Amino acid sequence: MQTITDPAAMRAWARARRAEGRRIGFVPTMGYLHRGHTSLMDLARPRCDALVVSIYVNPLQFGPGEDLDRYPRDPEGDARKCAEHGADVLFMPPDLYAPGHATTVHVAGLTEGLCGAHRPGHFDGVTTVVARLFGLVKPHLAVFGEKDYQQLATVRRMVEDLAMDVEVVGAPLVRDADGLALSSRNAYLSPAERARALSLSRALRAMREAAEAGEREAAALVAAGRARLDVDRLDYLEVRDARDLRPVEVIEAPARALVAAWIGRTRLIDNMPLGPTAP
Ligand code: PAF
């Protein structure tokens, strides 16, 4: 595995692979890699000839007072995991934006509710960095986890609207044995906080079970989920259309339950498909 830190060198590498007719797969990350990230690499690997993993903690997607300064890092461990999971290139730029960078990519609509309502500017930061990374890595396919369900939908919309020639692949969310959705931010949790964090997946499971038992009213499903939550602050617990994330009152098509909540100083998100016809 080769490590590239210079954006211009990354672009030159990508141009050369494309000239050879090789299919480039891409997994963008912010590092502190766990099994959720390596599952994205495992999904991409057989679908491409050359796999690039990027690690860049993107300041544009953090708001004031968020955890940019304390975001966990483990460059050596990350490099080992990338090599073990078949990456050809680890792209770790110290910075990604040239001085004078003046462009923001904004996806309207999809980014307004859920996390967008609680993290102003977050999704603009995500789409701007992903667009720039796509320009440098030139992937044929890119894998994003369903853990960040709104992010995945937003990136899909950007790619479609801007006619970017990239196949976006969604990868299933990965959980620990006790049900906690894997996240780099789980590292912030004390053992007592971690125990309470399990209430997010319990709430979503309760909603799924109620939907499977025939409940179709979103308000009733949310009430079933809320009763299981043990959090310090709830940003949202909602039922949305699984494809376009429109708010849903009565489930008639594949839907998704989504939650974001704070345990102490840590904000966690999770989601689950609802109903037997869920994707
Ligand atoms: O999901 C993440 O880790 C980040 O939002 C991403 C896609 C790497 C952009 O910084």
Side-chain angles (χ1 to χ4, degrees), residues 15-139:
R15 279 196 186 127
R17 297 296 80 72
R18 278 193 167 245
E20 293 164 2
R22 298 229 270 158
R23 184 170 162 81
I24 301 175
F26 181 38
V27 176
T29 82
M30 298 204 301
Y32 208 70
L33 304 178
H34 49 65
R35 278 188 300 117
H37 295 111
T38 57
S39 76
L40 309 184
M41 298 177 210
D42 295 343
L43 195 61
R45 189 59 272 186
R47 298 170 186 225
C48 65
D49 305 313
L51 176 60
V52 179
V53 179
S54 67
I55 296 181
Y56 179 65
V57 182
N58 171 36
L60 291 189
Q61 68 189 78
F62 289 79
E66 291 191 347
D67 57 344
L68 174 62
D69 294 336
R70 63 179 188 125
Y71 199 81
R73 289 167 207 251
D74 178 18
E76 287 84 27
D78 286 351
R80 186 176 38 76
K81 286 172 196 159
C82 291
E84 283 169 5
H85 288 266
D88 296 288
V89 170
L90 172 55
F91 178 42
M92 288 179 71
D95 197 4
L96 203 51
Y97 305 103
H101 178 100
T103 301
T104 299
V105 180
H106 174 68
V107 175
L110 261 179
T111 60
E112 274 150 30
L114 302 171
C115 286
H118 296 271
R119 303 185 69 190
H122 167 69
F123 287 112
D124 287 0
V126 170
T127 42
T128 301
V129 80
V130 170
R132 182 150 171 80
L133 285 165
F134 282 0
L136 296 169
V137 175
K138 308 196 176 306

